[in-house]
Amino acid sequence: MTDSILSKAATMEIPINSNGDSRTAEEDSLEQDLQQVMVSGPNLNETSIVSGGYGGAAEGIIPTSSIKGPAVRFNPEYFDRRCGNAPKPDIRSKSRGITPSHSAASRIANQPGHYPAPSMHHSNSNPSMMSEEATRGVAVEKFDSMKKWSINTYKCTKQMFSERFGRGTKTVDLELEAQIDVLRETKMKYERILRLARELTNHFYNMVQTQQALGDTFADLSQKSPELQDEFGYNAETQRLLCKNGETLLGAINFFVSSINTLVNKTMEDTLMTIKMYEIARLEFDAYRADLEELSVGPRDAAAMVRMEIAQQQYQIQKDKYERLHSDVSIKLKFLEENKVKVMHKQLLLFHNAVSAYFAGNQQQLEQTLRQFNVKLKPPGSDKPSWLEEQ
Protein backbone atom coordinates (compact mmCIF):
# COMPACT_ATOMS: atom_id res chain seq x y z
CA MET A 1 0.00 0.00 0.00
CA THR A 2 2.82 2.35 0.85
CA ASP A 3 4.58 1.76 -2.47
CA SER A 4 1.44 2.46 -4.43
CA ILE A 5 0.79 5.70 -2.56
CA LEU A 6 4.41 6.96 -3.04
CA SER A 7 4.34 6.12 -6.76
CA LYS A 8 1.03 7.92 -7.04
CA ALA A 9 2.42 10.97 -5.25
CA ALA A 10 5.50 11.00 -7.49
CA THR A 11 3.50 10.84 -10.73
CA MET A 12 0.61 13.16 -9.95
CA GLU A 13 0.59 16.72 -11.20
CA ILE A 14 -0.38 19.10 -8.44
CA PRO A 15 -1.92 22.38 -9.70
CA ILE A 16 -0.88 25.44 -7.70
CA ASN A 17 -2.74 28.74 -7.75
CA SER A 18 -1.22 32.22 -7.33
CA ASN A 19 -1.26 31.88 -3.53
CA GLY A 20 0.58 28.55 -3.53
CA ASP A 21 -2.45 26.50 -2.24
CA SER A 22 -3.88 23.27 -3.67
CA ARG A 23 -7.54 23.30 -4.66
CA THR A 24 -8.20 19.70 -5.87
CA ALA A 25 -9.86 16.80 -4.06
CA GLU A 26 -7.15 14.42 -5.19
CA GLU A 27 -4.51 16.37 -3.28
CA ASP A 28 -6.67 16.34 -0.16
CA SER A 29 -6.88 12.57 -0.36
CA LEU A 30 -3.15 12.39 -1.01
CA GLU A 31 -2.58 14.61 2.04
CA GLN A 32 -4.56 12.26 4.26
CA ASP A 33 -2.76 9.20 2.87
CA LEU A 34 0.65 10.82 3.52
CA GLN A 35 -0.35 11.70 7.09
CA GLN A 36 -1.42 8.10 7.64
CA VAL A 37 1.90 6.88 6.27
CA MET A 38 3.83 9.20 8.61
CA VAL A 39 1.86 7.93 11.60
CA SER A 40 1.61 4.18 10.87
CA GLY A 41 4.26 3.65 8.21
CA PRO A 42 7.50 1.72 8.70
CA ASN A 43 10.55 3.25 10.38
CA LEU A 44 13.48 3.88 8.07
CA ASN A 45 15.84 2.73 10.79
CA GLU A 46 14.44 -0.81 10.32
CA THR A 47 14.87 -0.80 6.53
CA SER A 48 17.88 -0.98 4.27
CA ILE A 49 19.13 0.98 1.28
CA VAL A 50 19.90 -1.05 -1.85
CA SER A 51 22.85 0.48 -3.69
CA GLY A 52 22.72 -1.81 -6.71
CA GLY A 53 18.98 -1.47 -7.47
CA TYR A 54 16.13 -3.79 -6.82
CA GLY A 55 16.98 -7.46 -6.89
CA GLY A 56 20.71 -6.81 -6.44
CA ALA A 57 23.26 -8.96 -4.66
CA ALA A 58 23.33 -9.22 -0.91
CA GLU A 59 26.63 -7.37 -0.65
CA GLY A 60 24.99 -4.33 -2.24
CA ILE A 61 22.69 -3.85 0.78
CA ILE A 62 23.86 -1.18 3.24
CA PRO A 63 22.25 -1.22 6.69
CA THR A 64 20.88 2.14 7.83
CA SER A 65 20.69 1.58 11.54
CA SER A 66 23.31 4.33 12.00
CA ILE A 67 20.94 6.99 10.59
CA LYS A 68 19.50 8.97 13.50
CA GLY A 69 16.13 10.67 13.51
CA PRO A 70 13.08 10.30 11.27
CA ALA A 71 13.50 10.53 7.54
CA VAL A 72 10.26 12.58 7.18
CA ARG A 73 9.61 15.54 9.48
CA PHE A 74 6.03 16.28 10.50
CA ASN A 75 5.02 19.94 10.02
CA PRO A 76 1.96 20.72 12.16
CA GLU A 77 1.59 24.24 10.72
CA TYR A 78 1.39 22.80 7.23
CA PHE A 79 -1.23 20.27 8.37
CA ASP A 80 -3.33 22.93 10.11
CA ARG A 81 -3.05 25.20 7.09
CA ARG A 82 -4.23 22.44 4.80
CA CYS A 83 -7.20 21.88 7.09
CA GLY A 84 -8.03 25.62 7.07
CA ASN A 85 -7.21 26.29 10.74
CA ALA A 86 -4.13 28.60 10.30
CA PRO A 87 -3.48 31.80 8.32
CA LYS A 88 -1.71 31.45 5.01
CA PRO A 89 1.98 32.39 4.97
CA ASP A 90 3.32 35.36 3.05
CA ILE A 91 4.61 34.30 -0.35
CA ARG A 92 7.52 36.81 -0.09
CA SER A 93 8.64 35.32 3.21
CA LYS A 94 8.16 31.81 1.85
CA SER A 95 10.26 32.57 -1.17
CA ARG A 96 13.07 33.67 1.15
CA GLY A 97 12.76 30.54 3.23
CA ILE A 98 11.49 32.47 6.32
CA THR A 99 8.55 31.17 8.34
CA PRO A 100 6.54 34.25 9.45
CA SER A 101 5.30 34.38 13.02
CA HIS A 102 2.03 35.88 14.22
CA SER A 103 3.77 38.90 15.79
CA ALA A 104 5.66 39.61 12.56
CA ALA A 105 2.43 39.29 10.59
CA SER A 106 0.69 41.79 12.89
CA ARG A 107 3.57 44.29 12.56
CA ILE A 108 3.48 43.99 8.78
CA ALA A 109 -0.29 44.55 8.78
CA ASN A 110 -0.01 47.71 10.90
CA GLN A 111 2.75 49.31 8.79
CA PRO A 112 1.99 51.43 5.67
CA GLY A 113 2.01 49.82 2.29
CA HIS A 114 4.93 51.70 0.69
CA TYR A 115 8.43 51.37 2.11
CA PRO A 116 11.40 52.97 0.47
CA ALA A 117 14.10 50.39 0.05
CA PRO A 118 17.34 51.26 1.86
CA SER A 119 19.85 52.65 -0.55
CA MET A 120 23.04 50.88 0.45
CA HIS A 121 24.77 52.16 -2.63
CA HIS A 122 23.94 55.75 -1.71
CA SER A 123 25.20 55.39 1.86
CA ASN A 124 28.40 53.78 0.67
CA SER A 125 29.01 56.29 -2.08
CA ASN A 126 28.12 59.37 0.01
CA PRO A 127 31.68 60.00 1.37
CA SER A 128 33.17 59.46 -2.05
CA MET A 129 30.66 61.88 -3.58
CA MET A 130 31.51 64.48 -0.94
CA SER A 131 35.23 64.08 -1.59
CA GLU A 132 34.64 64.37 -5.32
CA GLU A 133 32.62 67.55 -4.80
CA ALA A 134 35.34 69.02 -2.58
CA THR A 135 38.01 68.17 -5.15
CA ARG A 136 35.89 69.65 -7.89
CA GLY A 137 35.40 72.84 -5.86
CA VAL A 138 39.14 73.23 -5.32
CA ALA A 139 39.80 72.65 -9.01
CA VAL A 140 37.20 75.25 -10.00
CA GLU A 141 38.69 77.75 -7.56
CA LYS A 142 42.17 77.20 -8.95
CA PHE A 143 40.89 77.52 -12.48
CA ASP A 144 39.16 80.83 -11.67
CA SER A 145 42.31 82.13 -9.99
CA MET A 146 44.42 81.12 -12.99
CA LYS A 147 41.91 82.73 -15.32
CA LYS A 148 41.98 86.04 -13.43
CA TRP A 149 45.78 85.97 -13.27
CA SER A 150 46.03 85.29 -17.01
CA ILE A 151 43.68 88.14 -17.91
CA ASN A 152 45.46 90.55 -15.58
CA THR A 153 48.90 89.53 -16.91
CA TYR A 154 47.76 89.93 -20.49
CA LYS A 155 46.40 93.42 -19.88
CA CYS A 156 49.49 94.54 -17.95
CA THR A 157 51.84 93.16 -20.61
CA LYS A 158 49.86 94.89 -23.32
CA GLN A 159 50.01 98.18 -21.41
CA MET A 160 53.75 97.83 -20.78
CA PHE A 161 54.53 97.30 -24.47
CA SER A 162 52.22 100.15 -25.39
CA GLU A 163 54.12 102.49 -23.09
CA ARG A 164 57.52 101.36 -24.38
CA PHE A 165 56.53 101.84 -28.01
CA GLY A 166 54.85 105.18 -27.28
CA ARG A 167 51.33 104.05 -28.12
CA GLY A 168 49.80 104.13 -24.64
CA THR A 169 49.43 106.77 -21.96
CA LYS A 170 51.10 106.53 -18.55
CA THR A 171 50.03 108.02 -15.24
CA VAL A 172 52.99 109.98 -13.86
CA ASP A 173 53.48 111.94 -10.65
CA LEU A 174 56.56 114.03 -11.46
CA GLU A 175 57.33 115.03 -7.88
CA LEU A 176 57.01 111.50 -6.53
CA GLU A 177 59.01 110.04 -9.42
CA ALA A 178 61.83 112.50 -8.71
CA GLN A 179 61.91 111.48 -5.04
CA ILE A 180 62.02 107.82 -6.03
CA ASP A 181 64.94 108.43 -8.39
CA VAL A 182 66.81 110.29 -5.65
CA LEU A 183 66.22 107.41 -3.24
CA ARG A 184 67.57 104.84 -5.69
CA GLU A 185 70.66 106.93 -6.33
CA THR A 186 71.19 107.53 -2.61
CA LYS A 187 70.92 103.84 -1.90
CA MET A 188 73.60 103.06 -4.47
CA LYS A 189 75.97 105.60 -2.90
CA TYR A 190 75.30 104.33 0.62
CA GLU A 191 75.93 100.78 -0.52
CA ARG A 192 79.34 101.94 -1.75
CA ILE A 193 80.06 103.58 1.62
CA LEU A 194 79.03 100.36 3.36
CA ARG A 195 81.29 98.26 1.16
CA LEU A 196 84.31 100.53 1.73
CA ALA A 197 83.67 100.69 5.48
CA ARG A 198 83.65 96.89 5.64
CA GLU A 199 86.92 96.75 3.74
CA LEU A 200 88.41 99.28 6.15
CA THR A 201 87.22 97.17 9.07
CA ASN A 202 88.85 94.04 7.69
CA HIS A 203 92.14 95.81 6.96
CA PHE A 204 92.21 97.55 10.30
CA TYR A 205 91.43 94.32 12.11
CA ASN A 206 94.37 92.67 10.40
CA MET A 207 96.57 95.61 11.37
CA VAL A 208 95.53 95.35 15.02
CA GLN A 209 96.27 91.63 15.02
CA THR A 210 99.67 92.34 13.50
CA GLN A 211 100.41 94.99 16.13
CA GLN A 212 99.46 92.57 18.90
CA ALA A 213 101.74 89.88 17.49
CA LEU A 214 104.55 92.42 17.09
CA GLY A 215 104.16 93.62 20.67
CA ASP A 216 104.32 90.05 21.99
CA THR A 217 107.48 89.44 19.99
CA PHE A 218 109.11 92.60 21.33
CA ALA A 219 108.22 91.60 24.88
CA ASP A 220 109.72 88.14 24.40
CA LEU A 221 112.93 89.55 22.98
CA SER A 222 113.12 92.01 25.86
CA GLN A 223 113.35 89.09 28.24
CA LYS A 224 115.90 87.22 26.18
CA SER A 225 118.17 90.13 25.15
CA PRO A 226 119.56 91.90 28.22
CA GLU A 227 121.60 94.35 26.14
CA LEU A 228 118.41 95.52 24.27
CA GLN A 229 115.93 95.01 27.06
CA ASP A 230 114.90 98.66 27.36
CA GLU A 231 114.54 99.26 23.63
CA PHE A 232 112.46 96.11 23.11
CA GLY A 233 110.45 97.02 26.17
CA TYR A 234 109.56 100.52 24.86
CA ASN A 235 108.44 99.17 21.49
CA ALA A 236 106.45 96.36 23.09
CA GLU A 237 104.61 98.87 25.29
CA THR A 238 103.90 101.15 22.31
CA GLN A 239 102.48 98.30 20.22
CA ARG A 240 100.29 97.16 23.09
CA LEU A 241 98.92 100.69 23.48
CA LEU A 242 98.28 100.95 19.74
CA CYS A 243 96.57 97.56 19.80
CA LYS A 244 94.33 98.64 22.65
CA ASN A 245 93.38 101.90 20.95
CA GLY A 246 92.91 100.01 17.68
CA GLU A 247 90.42 97.66 19.30
CA THR A 248 88.54 100.68 20.59
CA LEU A 249 88.50 102.28 17.15
CA LEU A 250 87.51 98.95 15.64
CA GLY A 251 84.47 98.86 17.92
CA ALA A 252 83.46 102.35 16.73
CA ILE A 253 83.87 101.37 13.07
CA ASN A 254 81.85 98.20 13.57
CA PHE A 255 79.04 100.23 15.12
CA PHE A 256 79.20 102.61 12.14
CA VAL A 257 79.02 99.71 9.68
CA SER A 258 76.10 98.09 11.52
CA SER A 259 74.07 101.31 11.50
CA ILE A 260 74.71 101.94 7.80
CA ASN A 261 73.76 98.33 7.01
CA THR A 262 70.45 98.71 8.86
CA LEU A 263 69.71 101.96 7.04
CA VAL A 264 70.53 100.60 3.58
CA ASN A 265 69.37 96.98 3.67
CA LYS A 266 66.32 97.32 5.90
CA THR A 267 64.90 100.84 5.99
CA MET A 268 65.64 101.81 2.39
CA GLU A 269 64.87 98.32 1.12
CA ASP A 270 61.46 98.35 2.81
CA THR A 271 60.63 101.66 1.15
CA LEU A 272 61.79 100.36 -2.23
CA MET A 273 59.57 97.28 -1.85
CA THR A 274 56.59 99.58 -1.30
CA ILE A 275 57.66 101.57 -4.36
CA LYS A 276 57.77 98.37 -6.40
CA MET A 277 54.23 97.50 -5.33
CA TYR A 278 53.19 101.05 -6.21
CA GLU A 279 54.65 100.75 -9.71
CA ILE A 280 52.83 97.44 -10.29
CA ALA A 281 49.58 99.02 -9.09
CA ARG A 282 50.18 101.98 -11.42
CA LEU A 283 50.66 99.64 -14.39
CA GLU A 284 47.48 97.69 -13.55
CA PHE A 285 45.58 100.95 -13.10
CA ASP A 286 46.66 102.20 -16.52
CA ALA A 287 45.89 98.82 -18.11
CA TYR A 288 42.31 98.76 -16.81
CA ARG A 289 41.91 102.46 -17.60
CA ALA A 290 42.93 101.82 -21.22
CA ASP A 291 40.54 98.86 -21.36
CA LEU A 292 37.69 101.04 -20.12
CA GLU A 293 38.51 103.79 -22.63
CA GLU A 294 38.56 101.22 -25.43
CA LEU A 295 35.12 99.93 -24.44
CA SER A 296 33.77 103.49 -24.15
CA VAL A 297 34.38 104.21 -27.83
CA GLY A 298 32.88 100.89 -28.96
CA PRO A 299 29.27 99.90 -29.69
CA ARG A 300 26.55 100.40 -27.10
CA ASP A 301 24.66 97.12 -27.29
CA ALA A 302 23.58 95.08 -24.25
CA ALA A 303 26.65 92.85 -24.19
CA ALA A 304 28.96 95.86 -24.53
CA MET A 305 27.19 97.63 -21.66
CA VAL A 306 27.68 94.59 -19.42
CA ARG A 307 31.37 94.47 -20.28
CA MET A 308 31.68 98.18 -19.69
CA GLU A 309 30.07 97.88 -16.27
CA ILE A 310 32.48 95.09 -15.30
CA ALA A 311 35.42 97.12 -16.63
CA GLN A 312 34.24 100.14 -14.63
CA GLN A 313 34.19 98.07 -11.43
CA GLN A 314 37.68 96.69 -12.10
CA TYR A 315 38.93 100.18 -12.91
CA GLN A 316 37.59 101.54 -9.63
CA ILE A 317 39.25 98.71 -7.67
CA GLN A 318 42.61 99.36 -9.34
CA LYS A 319 42.23 103.10 -8.84
CA ASP A 320 41.66 102.71 -5.09
CA LYS A 321 44.68 100.38 -4.85
CA TYR A 322 46.86 102.81 -6.80
CA GLU A 323 45.86 105.80 -4.68
CA ARG A 324 46.44 103.87 -1.44
CA LEU A 325 49.94 102.79 -2.46
CA HIS A 326 50.69 106.28 -3.75
CA SER A 327 49.92 107.65 -0.31
CA ASP A 328 52.00 104.94 1.38
CA VAL A 329 55.03 105.70 -0.78
CA SER A 330 54.80 109.44 -0.09
CA ILE A 331 54.63 108.87 3.67
CA LYS A 332 57.48 106.35 3.70
CA LEU A 333 59.73 108.62 1.64
CA LYS A 334 59.14 111.45 4.08
CA PHE A 335 59.92 109.35 7.15
CA LEU A 336 62.91 107.77 5.43
CA GLU A 337 64.46 111.13 4.74
CA GLU A 338 64.04 112.21 8.35
CA ASN A 339 65.43 108.94 9.68
CA LYS A 340 68.37 109.04 7.27
CA VAL A 341 69.39 112.51 8.43
CA LYS A 342 69.28 111.54 12.11
CA VAL A 343 71.17 108.28 11.67
CA MET A 344 73.87 109.70 9.40
CA HIS A 345 74.41 112.76 11.59
CA LYS A 346 75.14 110.56 14.58
CA GLN A 347 77.24 107.99 12.72
CA LEU A 348 79.36 110.51 10.82
CA LEU A 349 80.12 112.39 14.03
CA LEU A 350 81.08 109.16 15.75
CA PHE A 351 83.34 108.10 12.89
CA HIS A 352 85.10 111.48 12.75
CA ASN A 353 85.73 111.80 16.50
CA ALA A 354 86.89 108.19 16.85
CA VAL A 355 89.33 108.30 13.95
CA SER A 356 90.70 111.72 14.99
CA ALA A 357 91.26 110.61 18.60
CA TYR A 358 92.94 107.38 17.51
CA PHE A 359 95.45 108.93 15.16
CA ALA A 360 96.08 111.78 17.60
CA GLY A 361 96.98 109.20 20.21
CA ASN A 362 94.38 110.58 22.63
CA GLN A 363 93.15 107.50 24.39
CA GLN A 364 90.92 109.39 26.80
CA GLN A 365 89.11 111.25 24.02
CA LEU A 366 88.63 108.00 22.11
CA GLU A 367 87.05 106.28 25.09
CA GLN A 368 84.92 109.34 25.78
CA THR A 369 83.65 109.29 22.19
CA LEU A 370 82.48 105.72 22.55
CA ARG A 371 80.73 106.49 25.83
CA GLN A 372 79.07 109.51 24.22
CA PHE A 373 77.50 107.39 21.51
CA ASN A 374 76.75 104.41 23.77
CA VAL A 375 79.11 102.08 21.94
CA LYS A 376 79.86 98.95 23.95
CA LEU A 377 83.09 97.15 23.19
CA LYS A 378 83.35 93.40 23.22
CA PRO A 379 85.88 92.03 25.68
CA PRO A 380 89.12 90.77 24.14
CA GLY A 381 88.86 87.16 23.03
CA SER A 382 85.04 87.11 23.03
CA ASP A 383 85.00 86.14 19.37
CA LYS A 384 87.20 83.12 20.00
CA PRO A 385 85.44 79.83 20.82
CA SER A 386 85.82 78.43 24.31
CA TRP A 387 87.87 75.33 25.02
CA LEU A 388 84.62 73.36 25.33
CA GLU A 389 83.54 74.38 21.82
CA GLU A 390 86.94 73.45 20.44
CA GLN A 391 86.68 69.88 21.75
Side-chain angles (χ1 to χ4, degrees), residues 54 118 150 266 296:
Y54 293 101
S150 301
K266 292 185 178 181
S296 300

Side-chain angles (χ1 to χ4, degrees), residues 152-164 169-172 177 275-291 318 321-322 325:
N152 185 64
T153 303
Y154 168 75
K155 291 183 178 181
C156 293
T157 305
K158 180 181 177 182
Q159 176 66 22
M160 182 177 61
F161 279 103
S162 299
E163 293 176 1
R164 289 191 176 183
T169 58
K170 178 181 179 181
T171 304
V172 179
E177 293 292 334
I275 291 172
K276 187 175 181 179
M277 295 172 60
Y278 158 75
E279 291 176 345
I280 295 174
R282 197 274 312 163
L283 183 63
E284 292 177 349
F285 167 70
D286 287 337
Y288 283 93
R289 177 181 55 80
D291 189 20
Q318 298 299 328
K321 181 180 178 180
Y322 167 75
L325 288 173

Side-chain angles (χ1 to χ4, degrees), residues 193-212 242-243 246-247 249-251 253-254 257 351 358-359:
I193 292 175
L194 180 61
R195 185 176 65 254
L196 295 174
R198 285 174 173 171
E199 292 179 0
L200 176 63
T201 302
N202 293 332
H203 294 319
F204 195 77
Y205 174 79
N206 293 330
M207 187 186 73
V208 170
Q209 295 297 318
T210 303
Q211 288 176 345
Q212 184 177 1
L242 290 174
C243 182
E247 291 177 352
L249 178 61
L250 193 61
I253 296 176
N254 285 330
V257 170
F351 189 81
Y358 172 79
F359 285 100

